[in-house]
Amino acid sequence: MSGAAHASNLASVSVFAAGLNNPRNLRFGPDGDLYVAEGGAGGTHSTNGQCSQVVPPIGPYTGSNSGGRISKIDRHGDVTTVVDTLPSSQTSIGSGSLVSGVADIAFIGNTLYALLAGAGCSHGVTSLPNAIMRVNADHSTTLIANLSAFQKAHPTAVIEKDDFEPDGTWYSMVAVRGALYAVEPNHGEIDRISTGGAISRVIDISASQGHVVPTALAYHGNFYVANLNVFPQPIGSSKVWKVTPSGQIKVDTAGFDMVLGLAFDNFDQMYVLEMSAGQPVPTPGTGRVTRVHPNGAEEVVADGLMFPTGITCGPDGNLYVSSAGFGMPAGAGKVLKIDLANWKH
């Protein structure tokens, strides 16, 4: 990692909550509780012959119309279910039966919105497309925007035929000034979605960067987006780009591996979550969090994490990270607390 200094005294990491099903992105709500998007437990239903399928080795998928979940975790680490009726799906057995479902959540005011990544016919799901869902006060959900249909009607410049997802594999979402912004890795785009369901493209990342698999999205005056990249990955080839609201893109920070999360604290410091650092392919126990200061200096905050998949800064000044977020049995997922408030470095 370019310029990174490995901290000799890493921050303390503890388990904040457990028992999650393929947890992904997470966010604190206006009530002060932590909300976690979960992929679910996958499914067994096939739609082969009904629609275009994801090609092997990743596909074909099988899915379920339910099981994708959003959980709420209180300050004591107690977990309750907000909704568990959203779709869940999984890749082929040969590719590890990797589960997708709810990818991210965001609040606009007191209203919770969910980003679906594991839905749509190409994922073995017939009840819903990949979409933005509003979570209602009675815990029911309402489809706000059909992301599957938008992608099919508005293809990006680069289509990777041997790694193509007809319904997309959406990953991160942020709320900015009353609208939602979501990034989709497979097609390579950031889109704006209004609460009324209007969808427009902010930037086709593939047009300037190629098939780089952008995954992590954060907003801090501008948008910041980072990429997972393709496997096997040249070590240090993942980047963080700055994207203006008008869609201009430039590299902000480089030298990372398989980035799945970005977060900013109140001191303008950026935290980069690497799912598997220093490895060409996903490797257990090699996840890492790096702090990037406004002047560009870097320091490792925590490492040795097990397939981390999402990161957020808490109101207490600590970091919270989804762990065991894919490739693990349902129920094995955790949220880790990285103690920055007491970190002596």
Side-chain angles (χ1 to χ4, degrees):
M1 184 164 50
S2 59
H6 188 83
S8 59
N9 180 26
L10 300 178
S12 173
V13 180
S14 60
V15 176
F16 180 64
L20 303 173
N21 298 336
N22 293 285
R24 300 296 159 82
N25 287 295
L26 65 175
R27 199 172 308 275
F28 281 88
D31 56 3
D33 290 332
L34 181 61
Y35 290 74
V36 185
E38 296 175 71
T44 59
H45 181 257
S46 172
T47 53
N48 191 27
Q50 299 179 41
C51 57
S52 298
Q53 300 291 297
V54 178
V55 298
I58 300 301
Y61 280 72
T62 54
S64 171
N65 289 342
S66 63
R69 189 165 74 176
I70 301 171
S71 290
K72 181 170 75 169
I73 306 171
D74 68 16
R75 62 188 180 90
H76 303 294
D78 295 326
V79 182
T80 56
T81 298
V82 177
V83 60
D84 61 2
T85 57
L86 295 170
S88 181
S89 60
Q90 62 196 55
T91 63
S92 68
I93 294 175
S95 64
S97 299
L98 304 179
V99 173
S100 300
V102 186
D104 204 350
I105 44 90
F107 284 90
I108 296 179
N110 291 319
T111 303
L112 175 62
Y113 294 87
L115 174 66
L116 300 187
C121 186
S122 68
H123 294 147
V125 173
T126 56
S127 60
L128 285 170
N130 272 340
I132 302 291
M133 307 294 294
R134 185 182 68 233
V135 180
N136 304 311
D138 62 358
H139 301 284
S140 65
T141 58
T142 301
L143 189 151
I144 297 301
N146 186 330
L147 299 175
S148 293
F150 180 82
Q151 284 196 308
K152 290 169 185 175
H154 302 86
T156 52
V158 176
I159 299 297
E160 197 76 7
K161 293 183 178 179
D162 60 351
D163 181 28
F164 179 66
E165 297 267 354
D167 288 285
T169 55
W170 300 82
Y171 199 82
S172 298
M173 177 172 69
V174 295
V176 180
R177 298 187 182 91
L180 299 164
Y181 293 80
V183 62
E184 198 284 322
N186 186 261
H187 299 228
E189 65 194 88
I190 300 173
D191 296 322
R192 181 187 187 274
I193 305 98
S194 74
T195 55
I199 308 172
S200 58
R201 183 155 294 153
V202 176
I203 183 174
D204 176 358
I205 296 172
S206 79
S208 62
Q209 309 301 320
H211 185 57
V212 295
V213 195
T215 47
L217 183 66
Y219 183 80
H220 192 70
N222 289 285
F223 294 100
Y224 290 80
V225 62
N227 69 315
L228 177 72
N229 219 335
V230 296
F231 307 139
Q233 182 200 73
I235 303 302
S237 61
S238 290
K239 301 178 177 68
V240 179
W241 290 269
K242 180 187 292 185
V243 178
T244 66
S246 63
Q248 301 301 308
I249 186 170
K250 68 175 183 178
V251 174
D252 180 79
T253 311
F256 299 101
D257 300 309
M258 306 182 207
V259 180
L260 288 184
L262 293 173
F264 284 87
D265 65 16
N266 293 330
F267 303 100
D268 298 325
Q269 298 173 132
M270 179 171 65
Y271 295 87
V272 180
L273 177 68
E274 296 168 275
M275 184 261 289
S276 190
Q279 306 295 323
V281 296
T283 304
T286 60
R288 180 167 64 187
V289 177
T290 298
R291 174 192 279 169
V292 182
H293 293 264
N295 65 5
E298 301 175 8
E299 57 191 331
V300 176
V301 174
D303 63 10
L305 307 180
M306 177 62 73
F307 292 141
T309 48
I311 187 170
T312 193
C313 292
D316 58 0
N318 297 310
L319 297 175
Y320 292 80
V321 171
S322 295
S323 175
F326 77 96
M328 308 290 284
K334 299 178 176 66
V335 171
L336 305 177
K337 177 182 176 181
I338 300 177
D339 189 347
L340 297 183
N342 297 307
W343 183 31
K344 307 300 182 184
H345 60 99

